[in-house]
Amino acid sequence: MSQLPPAMATALPWLLPATVLGAFAATAALTGPLTRWLASHQFGKAIRLDGPQHQSKQGTPTMGGLVMLGVLCAAGLPLLAGRDRPAAALLLLSMLAFATLGLLDDLAGLARRSGRKELGVGLRARSMFVLQLLAASLLTLSILRLASPQAGLEQAINDLPLAALMVLAILGTVNGVNLSDGLDGLATGLLAIAFAALLAMGLSGASAVLAGVALGACLGFLVHNRHPAKVFMGNVASMGLGALLATVALLGGKLLLLPVVGAVFVAEVLSDLIQVGWFKWTRRRTGTGRRVFRMAPIHHHFEALGWPETLVVRRFWQAGALFAFFAWMLSRWLV
């Protein structure tokens, strides 16, 4: 769907590594100063009381992922003047739209700004879902319009099942990344693996450039976000990068491979849905809510089993890499 000018296509073998390295260096260099600024202005993470025992992380600067978003915007703006302007605009707008929702959630959940009795709670889940659904629907319509500019009413009706799958893919990816951002470096590493996998499958145009920038930015942020994390990316970045990942996959025609590339994200979402659904159903039936997992999402279940945080993160990274490789193999077979 995206195409590079001939000169850029010829330069891509060296341009892509340079893009990744440049994004890595910029993010690694800029995250430190932003972390100090966030700490000095008390933008500290509030740890939920009903979650795992991570009280030592209380007050760790959050929203450090703004650097990654800034690097991506800086790399994406020149693309708006090129031949791939429509795809570049969609990629940037999707990222910024969901990043805005994440920013609102971050600000509502900050300890010093929240008026709630419960620390670490941002926007209400129902309100957030409605806003996400609206943004995902508009993004899906834009992608379909870009793919078929002359499509009429009949084509639009035929595309409804595809549109529903695309909305589901966007919502699942955004929330999967957001839920996985609960352990030091977990979401950042998984995002780097996912963007690398999509690049390995073959991307072009703005999708290739921004996926490369995202890969480098995630690796650069991991310098500060690995255990023990000096800064968290925040919902602003987890939602923004989740939306970017989904949009890159959809523009690249990899809708069916996205759940495989992001299998860990899928597991995070499903574990949360199963836990909440089973608890509510058993409470309605028996008066006492029961749980399938010791804690959800599923990375906290393994913590509750006694696994060290670093072990959980390593095992989840390994699982993410394994599924990413499997997705790459599938993409070779499908071709």
Side-chain angles (χ1 to χ4, degrees):
M1 189 175 294
S2 305
Q3 292 184 351
L4 281 172
M8 288 187 68
T10 303
L12 193 60
W14 65 263
L15 179 62
L16 190 56
T19 299
V20 174
L21 289 173
F24 169 83
T27 305
L30 295 174
T31 299
L34 177 62
T35 300
R36 292 189 289 273
W37 185 89
L38 291 168
S40 66
H41 288 76
Q42 300 178 13
F43 284 90
K45 177 68 175 177
I47 304 299
R48 293 184 60 157
L49 300 178
D50 60 346
Q53 297 304 308
H54 288 169
Q55 300 310 315
S56 61
K57 301 181 182 184
Q58 180 80 23
T60 300
T62 188
M63 297 191 291
L66 285 168
V67 170
M68 292 189 283
L69 301 181
V71 169
L72 280 159
C73 286
L77 286 177
L79 298 175
L80 297 177
R83 292 172 53 185
D84 209 21
R85 180 171 56 250
L90 263 182
L91 289 162
L92 291 175
L93 287 174
S94 67
M95 180 183 73
L96 293 175
F98 280 92
T100 300
L101 298 182
L103 178 63
L104 294 175
D105 201 45
D106 278 329
L107 294 176
L110 282 173
R112 74 181 187 91
R113 299 192 178 205
S114 176
R116 299 171 181 264
K117 295 181 180 178
E118 201 174 354
L119 290 180
V121 177
L123 299 178
R124 295 184 183 278
R126 184 172 300 178
S127 301
M128 176 59 76
F129 178 75
V130 171
L131 292 172
Q132 287 183 345
L133 180 61
L134 177 61
S137 300
L138 291 174
L139 176 57
T140 295
L141 289 175
S142 300
I143 293 173
L144 291 174
R145 185 68 175 174
L146 180 62
S148 304
Q150 307 299 325
L153 179 59
E154 183 179 351
Q155 181 63 44
I157 294 174
N158 292 335
D159 284 342
L160 283 177
L162 174 61
L165 281 177
M166 292 170 67
V167 169
L168 182 62
I170 295 167
L171 292 177
T173 305
V174 168
N175 287 289
V177 175
N178 184 241
L179 286 171
S180 68
D181 188 31
L183 298 179
D184 294 353
L186 178 56
T188 312
L190 290 172
L191 279 167
I193 291 168
F195 280 115
L198 290 177
L199 282 167
M201 291 179 204
L203 296 173
S204 62
S207 295
V209 174
L210 291 180
V213 174
L215 169 58
C218 287
L219 294 175
F221 188 71
L222 201 56
V223 172
H224 304 271
N225 184 236
R226 71 186 191 277
H227 184 81
K230 301 178 182 68
V231 64
F232 300 137
M233 71 166 68
N235 296 334
V236 62
S238 63
M239 290 189 185
L241 292 174
L244 179 64
L245 177 64
T247 308
V248 166
L250 294 176
L251 287 177
K254 295 169 177 59
L255 171 61
L256 297 180
L257 291 172
L258 180 59
V260 185
V261 171
V264 177
F265 299 138
V266 174
E268 297 277 18
V269 172
L270 289 179
S271 66
D272 206 52
L273 292 175
I274 290 169
Q275 185 86 324
V276 173
W278 181 250
F279 184 87
K280 289 183 176 180
W281 189 81
T282 52
R283 185 174 59 182
R284 189 180 301 116
R285 296 277 296 182
T286 66
T288 303
R290 298 177 182 175
R291 293 174 172 84
V292 176
F293 306 99
R294 293 196 177 187
M295 195 173 292
I298 197 166
H299 59 261
H300 290 321
H301 170 78
F302 289 101
E303 277 195 294
L305 289 176
W307 289 27
E309 178 179 354
T310 52
L311 178 61
V312 177
V313 172
R314 286 200 304 270
R315 292 294 181 263
F316 275 51
W317 283 354
Q318 289 165 356
L322 181 63
F323 277 101
F325 178 73
F326 183 49
W328 177 80
M329 293 290 289
L330 283 176
S331 71
R332 300 298 96 185
W333 178 70
L334 291 174
V335 171

